[in-house]
C-alpha cells in the first residue's frame, strides 16, 4: 500500500526522520486493516459517530506555555526533529505507544495524521541543600479547526514534575491527541488533563504512560459536555516498586457521550495502583466506562484496586460500567467496587429529613463524591473542586 501523500507531506513539513515516517505509514495501514466500520467492540456503540469522523486534520493546534520551571525544556514537534537526541526520544516514545496491544484504529489513525505536537523534557532540579525539588508547567492547547497532535513528556531519572494539560476546542471541531509519558527510574509525574472546555466538540484521546523502577505516576482527568469523547489511558508499571494513581471525574449533560477506558498493567514486582472514577450524567447523556487492572505472570507482591461511582439524573441518562481484573499471579492484593445510582427525590429524602435543603442534599450526595474522587494535592485541585460543586448542582437542579 502506498502511503497517503497528505500524511507524507505532513511528515516532511515537520522534518521527521525516517523512523517516524515509517511509523506513520504503519499506523495508517493498521487503521485501515483494523477498521470495522467504526463500531467499537464494547460499550455503547458510538461507532456511527466515530465512523463519520472527518479525519483530515489539516489545521495545527495553538499552544501556550505558562509557569515552566527552569529545568523543563519544551520543544515544538518541528524543533524537536532538528536535534538527534530529541528526535530520538520522540521516535522511541511513538514506537513504544504504537506497539501496545489492542490499539483501536481510531488512535492509529490520529497517530498517522497528526499535524504538530510538543516534546516536554524534564530534568531534576536541585534545591539549596542539594535535594530534588518539584517542578511544574502549565500547557494550554486551543483548537479552532479539526486537528490532531502528539505530546511526549520525558522525565529523567529522579526528576519530579507536575504538568497541567488544558485543552479547549471550538464547538463542531474534532481533535485527536496522543500523549506519551516516559517516566524513568525514581521519577515522579503528576498529570492533570483538563477537558472542561470541549462543549460541542469531538475528542479522540489516548494516553500511554510508562513507569520505571520506583517511579510514581499520578494521572487525573476531568471532562465535561463534549459532543463525543473517546479517551483511553493506559499506565504500564514496568519497573519494580513503581506506583500509579488514576483519577477520573466527568459531567455529561444534554446529548453528550463519553467512552472511557482506564488500564493499569503491573509488569513489575512490588507495584501498586489505584483507579478511581466518578461521573454525573444528566438528560440524555451517555457514558461507558471500562476499567482494567492487569497483573502479569511472575510478578510478586502487587496491589491493585478499582473504585467507580456513577450518578444519573434524568430518565434517559445511561451509564455502562465494566470493571475487570486480569490476574495471572497469586502474590497479589486486588479489589474492585462499583456503584451506579439513579438520583431521585427518594435518595434526597434522608438528608432532607436531617435539615439539609434540597440543594445542600444534592451537593452532599454527589458533589462530595465527585470532588473526593478527583482529590487534592495539585495546583488545579481547588479550582476544579469548586467547578465540580457548581456544575453538579446545576445539572441536578434541572433533573432531580
Amino acid at each position: 500500500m502506498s502511503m497517503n501523500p497528505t500524511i507524507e507531506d505532513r511528515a516532511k513539513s515537520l522534518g521527521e526522520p525516517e523512523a517516524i515516517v515509517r511509523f506513520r505509514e504503519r499506523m495508517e495501514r493498521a487503521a485501515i486493516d483494523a477498521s470495522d466500520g467504526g463500531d467499537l467492540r464494547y460499550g455503547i456503540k458510538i461507532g456511527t459517530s466515530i465512523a463519520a469522523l472527518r479525519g483530515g486534520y489539516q489545521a495545527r493546534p495553538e499552544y501556550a506555555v505558562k509557569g515552566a520551571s527552569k529545568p523543563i525544556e519544551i520543544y515544538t514537534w518541528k524543533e524537536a526533529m532538528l536535534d538527534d537526541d530529541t528526535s530520538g526520544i520522540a521516535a522511541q516514545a511513538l514506537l513504544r505507544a504504537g506497539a501496545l496491544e489492542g490499539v483501536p484504529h481510531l488512535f492509529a489513525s490520529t497517530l498517522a495524521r497528526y499535524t504538530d505536537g510538543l516534546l516536554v523534557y524534564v530534568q531534576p532540579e536541585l534545591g539549596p541543600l542539594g535535594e530534588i525539588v518539584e517542578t511544574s508547567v502549565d500547557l494550554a492547547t486551543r483548537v479552532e479547526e479539526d486537528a490532531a497532535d502528539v505530546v511526549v513528556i520525558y522525565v529523567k531519572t529522579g526528576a519530579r514534575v507536575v504538568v497541567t494539560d488544558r485543552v479547549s476546542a471550538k464547538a463542531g471541531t474534532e481533535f485527536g491527541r496522543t500523549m506519551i509519558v516516559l517516566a524513568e527510574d525514581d521519577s515522579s509525574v503528576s498529570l492533570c488533563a483538563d477537558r472542561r472546555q470541549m462543549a460541542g466538540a469531538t475528542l479522540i484521546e489516548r494516553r500511554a504512560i510508562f513507569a520505571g523502577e520506583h517511579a510514581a505516576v499520578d494521572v487525573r482527568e476531568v471532562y465535561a459536555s463534549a459532543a463525543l469523547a473517546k479517551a483511553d489511558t493506559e499506565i504500564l508499571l514496568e519497573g519494580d516498586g513503581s506506583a500509579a494513581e488514576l483519577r477520573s471525574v466527568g459531567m455529561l449533560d444534554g446529548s453528550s457521550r463519553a467512552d472511557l477506558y482506564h488500564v493499569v498493567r503491573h509488569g513489575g514486582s512490588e507495584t501498586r495502583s489505584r483507579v478511581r472514577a466518578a461521573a454525573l450524567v444528566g438528560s440524555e447523556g451517555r457514558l461507558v466506562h471500562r476499567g482494567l487492572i492487569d497483573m502479569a505472570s511472575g510478578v510478586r507482591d502487587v496491589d491493585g484496586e478499582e473504585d467507580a461511582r456513577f450518578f444519573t439524573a434524568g430518565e434517559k441518562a445511561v451509564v455502562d460500567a465494566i470493571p475487570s481484573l486480569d490476574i495471572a499471579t497469586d502474590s497479589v492484593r486486588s479489589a474492585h467496587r462499583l456503584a451506579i445510582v439513579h438520583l431521585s427525590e427518594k435518595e434526597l429524602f434522608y438528608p432532607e429529613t436531617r435539615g439539609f435543603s434540597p440543594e445542600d442534599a444534592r451537593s452532599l450526595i454527589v458533589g462530595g463524591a465527585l470532588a473526593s474522587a478527583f482529590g487534592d494535592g495539585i495546583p488545579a485541585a481547588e479550582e476544579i473542586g469548586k467547578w465540580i460543586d457548581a456544575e453538579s448542582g446545576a445539572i441536578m437542579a434541572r433533573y432531580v
Side-chain angles (χ1 to χ4, degrees):
M1 183 191 80
S2 62
M3 189 168 60
N4 187 317
T6 303
I7 297 172
E8 188 172 6
D9 289 344
R10 295 176 195 191
K12 289 182 177 179
S13 72
L14 294 171
E16 294 178 335
E18 189 69 15
I20 295 182
V21 176
R22 298 283 75 81
F23 171 81
R24 282 187 185 257
E25 183 178 27
R26 181 163 63 84
M27 288 296 100
E28 175 72 358
R29 184 181 296 111
I32 294 173
D33 293 345
S35 177
D36 55 4
D39 287 341
L40 299 178
R41 293 188 294 271
Y42 58 87
I44 58 178
K45 295 295 183 183
I46 57 177
T48 301
S49 298
I50 289 179
L53 284 178
R54 295 180 287 274
Y57 304 138
Q58 298 291 341
R60 293 187 176 181
E62 299 175 5
Y63 302 112
V65 179
K66 299 179 181 178
S69 300
K70 186 176 180 180
I72 299 177
E73 301 172 16
I74 300 176
Y75 305 87
T76 66
W77 201 254
K78 191 168 186 176
E79 290 171 341
M81 296 303 106
L82 295 175
D83 181 84
D84 288 343
D85 289 338
T86 53
S87 64
I89 291 170
Q92 174 194 3
L94 289 170
L95 291 170
R96 294 188 73 183
L100 295 178
E101 296 181 5
V103 179
H105 67 276
L106 297 170
F107 300 124
S109 180
T110 57
L111 270 172
R113 299 170 180 273
Y114 65 85
T115 51
D116 210 337
L118 296 172
L119 171 63
V120 181
Y121 186 89
V122 184
Q123 301 183 67
E125 181 174 13
L126 299 180
L129 301 179
E131 75 279 15
I132 295 178
V133 298
E134 187 174 81
T135 59
S136 63
V137 62
D138 192 321
L139 306 176
T141 305
R142 175 64 186 169
V143 180
E144 294 287 344
E145 301 178 63
D146 296 352
D149 72 357
V150 176
V151 176
V152 174
I153 301 175
Y154 182 56
V155 186
K156 292 289 291 180
T157 297
R160 300 178 61 193
V161 65
V162 177
V163 180
T164 304
D165 171 35
R166 309 175 196 272
V167 176
S168 60
K170 186 178 178 180
T173 58
E174 297 173 359
F175 180 55
R177 164 161 288 180
T178 302
M179 175 172 281
I180 307 165
V181 179
L182 304 177
E184 290 191 343
D185 298 349
D186 299 303
S187 64
S188 172
V189 184
S190 179
L191 171 65
C192 176
D194 185 346
R195 302 297 181 262
R196 291 176 292 162
Q197 302 299 318
M198 299 292 296
T202 295
L203 173 68
I204 304 295
E205 180 169 29
R206 179 175 178 237
R207 302 183 196 97
I209 300 166
F210 303 86
E213 287 192 4
H214 302 288
V217 176
D218 176 3
V219 180
R220 310 190 202 194
E221 68 175 4
V222 55
Y223 56 93
S225 296
L228 171 65
K230 176 72 179 85
D232 290 10
T233 300
E234 184 167 356
I235 301 175
L236 295 95
L237 299 176
E238 298 178 317
D240 292 349
S242 54
E245 292 269 357
L246 174 53
R247 296 169 175 262
S248 174
V249 171
M251 304 277 189
L252 298 178
D253 200 9
S255 59
S256 298
R257 289 179 289 175
D259 190 323
L260 310 178
Y261 187 27
H262 296 147
V263 184
V264 180
R265 302 191 188 278
H266 291 254
S269 295
E270 300 179 3
T271 50
R272 175 184 178 276
S273 69
R274 295 290 183 270
V275 178
R276 191 168 184 183
L280 171 61
V281 182
S283 186
E284 298 180 9
R286 205 163 187 186
L287 167 69
V288 61
H289 177 270
R290 287 208 310 163
L292 170 63
I293 294 180
D294 181 9
M295 298 176 174
S297 175
V299 299
R300 55 179 176 77
D301 296 330
V302 296
D303 184 353
E305 180 180 302
E306 292 180 85
D307 188 341
R309 192 171 188 189
F310 305 110
F311 302 89
T312 63
E315 295 181 357
K316 296 183 179 180
V318 176
V319 173
D320 181 3
I322 313 166
S324 58
L325 301 169
D326 189 351
I327 301 173
T329 182
D330 58 4
S331 180
V332 304
R333 293 179 295 276
S334 61
H336 66 69
R337 294 180 292 273
L338 169 66
I340 300 176
V341 179
H342 178 67
L343 293 168
S344 66
E345 292 183 1
K346 181 179 179 180
E347 278 71 34
L348 301 177
F349 175 76
Y350 180 80
E352 287 179 10
T353 61
R354 295 299 184 268
F356 288 93
S357 68
E359 293 77 14
D360 289 342
R362 296 185 191 109
S363 178
L364 177 69
I365 294 173
V366 179
L370 270 61
S372 176
F374 188 81
D376 53 18
I378 61 171
E382 182 177 356
E383 185 260 328
I384 290 176
K386 293 179 180 178
W387 173 84
I388 288 173
D389 187 58
E391 187 70 9
S392 62
I395 292 175
M396 287 185 291
R398 288 195 288 271
Y399 305 113
V400 181

